[in-house]
């Protein structure tokens, strides 16, 4: 496989990047209409990126040289894309798409079909479970961390408008004991379902927090077994009918950060939305999966977004990306995307184990608009660094409780701000007062949907999953492992022995840990 | 005033940056102990930054050449630091420190004394108000955006462990109508106090949300006037006893992002913590104010942090900073610091109006640890870019509900992870497997406190306010205005006229806005 830097079109893109288009002169209504793509009710509007027709064609050529469509098809069919060639590594299929391939147009790859069959089994189990528990619980606490927390949490918070009456959801993730304590202050455990999520069944934070919650239940005279369900790998230490009301299964072909549409998200989402609501999320995600695999590149939303990101990152050399939903319901969605993108593409070797000579995944961050406008947009407009933005917006609001104030609704005010920011960042402002001068030429794009519902949120989630995957395909890196989190775990266990007072002497890391403990 | 690039010591620092210290070889227990400073119960541990004694001495020399201690003193005494020389600009004192200069060791500057007298008046008003409302309300909703939201929200969420029994707080900020709708689902308005915060009394988002809430109150047969208080400038459109139970005042010498210790934060914090709790925040902040002004530079915590940040930003050329509290209670604190830092120092001109030829404020982002370890730390350890980290940790947890599991408490596990990360990032790991190779030499520092209380949180807040101010002093930029947010507001109003259908023809921005509206 060719190295990213050696694709033929790469040299031309570098030349083009030396003189990117001047948006201050170029931005016209025609340009906004021209640089757009529509699919599944979404419009991707990228006239405010620093591209022209030749650059877009070259980026599409890059996608072709990198065979990204073939790789996307291979991934969804069950190819073993999670591996490093020539070195001991994970060697797995990447089949989060199979978790929602439960409608028409099923994949025909053998591995993918098997994964979908497993997913269907869990879906039926979930449907039955939700029916059986009936109204026994009002609240659910999900205990998990990383992929077992951020995605499910972002989705749950985004859909509060659609909860079944009286249902609430809480999350405990951090090993900080105050995280569990604060949640336990707020719930009546007698009416609470606890969903413990760990694929390995051995995640330190999760098991510790589970113990804290079980301890509290016993203190309150409750039987933990009647409240706790496990979401874990079959046969893991947590797959234990003595301890749990039910076990839901996940598999090593679904990575944590891609697992929100598996039972990792399914149990809590199903609890608050109802089984049908969760199925709508799956349907939206599945439609985007099919689109990512089948839409032709010039109109393929996640692919376009991936390529524009690569233009900004590798050719315009911009080190971060801000993702700004103009939707308060999506307030934790950037935190999920931060994990999804940075854990997938924050890599320094390619799939053959060679150190890369180009930049991979950028720093991803973001907060909702309009809030950000009153906060960090100062730097976005007038800072010394350029931050490309990905805006997300919707035509309609979720609750129907909008009011016309001074002849416009809040939703109209929100959208006006969104569009105004894209324009302002692109065209800037001349001024004799240097403090009122805006340099412009700051790139952004908008993904515009109709309304944030379970269905469209599923599609939005999958849009980002595939954007990340497409970028990894272009860079030829493994977007599906996470070796970089291992060293910290190992050293944490070493430092922990100091607290256990098991060891009084040691060298290396042990001595360094000791030096820190003196400050406590 | 000398330009940052022309300080004499700047050239030496650039030379030193060409060969920064190799932490893989250099990190020893002695180094950890040596590169530390203690004050007010906090330890700043910066042995894992890429500095040596000469670099530290040079950074302190830079601070001296830039006269930062003189500027800090001038700021706290009421000097007019918020201005651009030679151009129309704000021309104001910067006196958030006066809001908490209500203990011993008062400032003697005339302006500062006047500001403190005003603050004392509001504090007495607040004390009386909180006594008078007694138990009439269980919940408070704060309506504000930007500085009127992020700081108060971060502080309130950080101190839930100390709330008066039965008290709760909510925030509405976004003009997205779903923000207000979701909060209104959760409260009993009959028992709710509403704090509306806008210095000018004319912030679009805030007034719109206030209207939504007042509308709902009337629908429920409540009298809004009996529930709403205003926090605003004296004489603003919101300073109206016909509409509000009470008006609390703020002034133009307290910038929004520095206003959490004024009545902008005071009313809601006082409501949930009690007046005494709010006073403890002020006391902690005040102690850090005195420390920032009086401690000698080598042991001045916010100054050291500012200088290490400048080393990473301007000499090691690192474009972002991640702030990672190992404390779940601080989960929204990075969002506040994002505004504080990026709105203050995301500037492209110096105080004389010249374009700068160096980098100013970096992108600030962050999420709590240990959560981040299971998320974006992959990129932190093994990405192609280096991200300097600012860790925050505490010896003790807030709630006393920790358990010993496998011979250590959760708090001990949390601290082990914190220290292990600092070590792992610095020393890395050799490996024959390229995927298990960690390059190391990734800089971080730790601010370690005893326990997160109202008092220490006040100190922590002021530590960051002064870190940001010190960096602005070194760069000679105005950290106290925000002209960069104006253009977007202006264009949003133009686009809004399209929705109002007031105009059917127009040019320029109007036409661009129209092009976007066609996608709705």
């Amino acid at each position: 496989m060719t190295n990213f830097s050696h694709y033929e079109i790469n040299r031309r893109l570098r030349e083009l990047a030396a003189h990117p288009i001047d948006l201050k002169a170029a931005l016209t209504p025609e340009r906004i209409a021209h640089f757009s793509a529509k699919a599944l009710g979404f419009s991707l509007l990228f006239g405010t990126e620093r591209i022209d027709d030749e650059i877009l064609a070259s980026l599409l050529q890059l996608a072709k040289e990198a065979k990204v469509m073939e790789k996307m098809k291979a991934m969804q069919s069950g190819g073993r894309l999670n591996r490093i060639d020539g070195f001991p590594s994970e060697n797995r299929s990447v089949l989060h798409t199979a978790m929602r391939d439960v409608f028409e147009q099923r994949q025909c790859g053998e591995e993918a079909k098997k994964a979908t069959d497993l997913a269907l089994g869990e879906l039926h189990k979930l449907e039955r479970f939700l029916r059986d528990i009936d109204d026994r619980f009002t609240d659910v606490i999900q205990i998990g961390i990383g992929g077992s927390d951020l995605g499910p949490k972002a989705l749950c918070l985004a859909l509060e408008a659609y909860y079944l009456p009286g249902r609430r959801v809480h999350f405990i993730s951090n090993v900080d004991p105050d995280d569990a304590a604060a949640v336990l202050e707020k719930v009546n455990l007698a009416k609470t379902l606890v969903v413990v999520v760990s694929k390995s069944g051995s995640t330190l934070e999760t098991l510790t927090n589970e113990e804290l919650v079980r301890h509290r239940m016993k203190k309150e005279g409750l039987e933990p077994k009647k409240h706790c369900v496990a979401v874990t790998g079959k046969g893991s230490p947590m797959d234990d009918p003595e301890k749990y009301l039910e076990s839901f299964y996940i598999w090593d072909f679904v990575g944590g950060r891609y697992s929100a549409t598996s039972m990792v998200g399914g149990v809590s989402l199903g609890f608050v939305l109802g089984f049908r609501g969760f199925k709508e999320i799956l349907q939206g995600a599945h439609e985007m999966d099919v689109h990512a695999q089948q839409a032709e590149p010039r109109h393929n939303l996640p692919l376009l977004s991936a390529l524009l990101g690569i233009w900004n990152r590798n050719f315009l050399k911009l080190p971060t990306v801000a993702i700004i939903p103009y939707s308060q319901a999506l307030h934790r969605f950037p935190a999920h995307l931060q994990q999804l993108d940075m854990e997938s593409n924050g890599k320094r070797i390619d799939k053959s184990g060679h150190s890369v000579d180009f930049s991979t995944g950028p720093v991803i961050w973001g907060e909702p608009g309009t809030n950000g406008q009153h906060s960090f947009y100062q730097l976005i407009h007038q800072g010394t660094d350029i931050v490309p933005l990905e805006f997300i917006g919707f035509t309609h609001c979720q609750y129907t409780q909008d009011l016309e104030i001074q002849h416009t609704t809040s939703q109209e005010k929100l959208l006006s701000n969104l569009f105004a920011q894209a324009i302002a960042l692109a065209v800037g402002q001349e001024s004799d007062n240097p403090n009122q001068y805006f340099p412009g030429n700051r790139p952004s794009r908008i993904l515009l949907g109709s309304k944030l519902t379970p269905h469209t949120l599923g599609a939005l989630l999958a849009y980002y999953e595939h954007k990340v995957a497409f970028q990894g395909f272009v860079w030829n890196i493994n977007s599906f492992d996470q070796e970089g989190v291992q060293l910290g775990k190992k050293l944490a266990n070493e430092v922990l022995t100091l607290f256990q007072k098991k060891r009084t002497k040691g060298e290396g890391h042990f001595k360094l840990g000791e030096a820190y403990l003196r400050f406590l």
Side-chain angles (χ1 to χ4, degrees), chain A residues 115-306:
Chain A
T116 295
D117 287 341
L118 290 169
L120 278 168
E122 297 307 309
L123 278 171
H124 293 145
K125 198 196 289 180
L126 177 64
E127 188 171 19
R128 200 172 54 236
F129 175 80
L130 292 172
R131 199 174 48 229
D132 289 351
I133 60 172
D134 194 24
D135 280 338
R136 211 184 320 157
F137 306 110
T138 56
D139 289 53
V140 62
I141 300 176
Q142 174 142 345
I143 305 177
I145 193 164
S148 303
D149 173 61
L150 292 167
K153 188 171 182 176
L155 299 191
C156 282
L157 294 177
L159 297 173
E160 276 187 16
Y162 304 93
Y163 284 10
L164 299 176
R167 297 256 164 125
R168 300 192 307 164
V169 58
H170 317 266
F171 294 84
I172 301 175
S173 51
N174 203 321
V175 75
D176 177 353
D178 289 335
D179 193 11
V183 170
L184 292 173
E185 291 278 302
K186 288 177 195 142
V187 296
N188 171 9
L189 280 177
K191 298 282 283 175
T192 299
L193 175 70
V194 177
V195 182
V196 188
V197 187
S198 168
K199 200 192 291 179
S200 65
S202 66
T203 311
L204 170 83
E205 285 89 341
T206 303
L207 296 191
T208 303
N209 281 319
E210 180 183 5
E211 275 312 303
L212 285 174
V213 172
R214 283 179 181 262
H215 178 83
R216 179 73 75 91
M217 282 185 170
K218 286 178 203 152
K219 256 177 76 179
E220 296 187 9
L222 299 168
E223 263 184 86
K225 202 215 131 155
K226 294 192 173 157
H227 294 260
C228 294
V229 303
V231 180
T232 190
K234 200 162 189 168
S236 94
M238 266 171 58
D239 181 18
D240 181 353
E242 299 294 310
K243 285 183 69 185
Y244 299 95
L245 204 50
E246 184 66 270
S247 284
F248 294 96
Y249 296 128
I250 43 179
W251 310 276
D252 66 7
F253 51 76
V254 179
R257 57 193 174 274
Y258 296 92
S259 68
T261 51
S262 75
M263 287 301 121
V264 169
V267 184
S268 291
L269 283 161
F271 179 82
V272 290
L273 298 172
F275 183 72
R276 185 181 297 195
F278 178 57
K279 278 289 286 284
E280 287 171 18
I281 295 175
L282 298 187
Q283 175 117 34
H286 173 64
E287 287 170 15
M288 187 60 78
D289 295 341
V290 173
H291 170 79
Q293 193 185 141
Q294 299 184 352
E296 65 102 5
R298 172 59 183 81
H299 297 284
N300 189 314
L301 303 185
L303 177 58
L304 286 169
S305 188

Side-chain angles (χ1 to χ4, degrees), chain A residues 363-377:
Chain A
V363 167
I364 303 284
W365 60 282
E367 290 285 329
T370 58
N371 292 26
Q373 293 176 203
H374 295 258
S375 164
F376 50 79
Y377 274 42

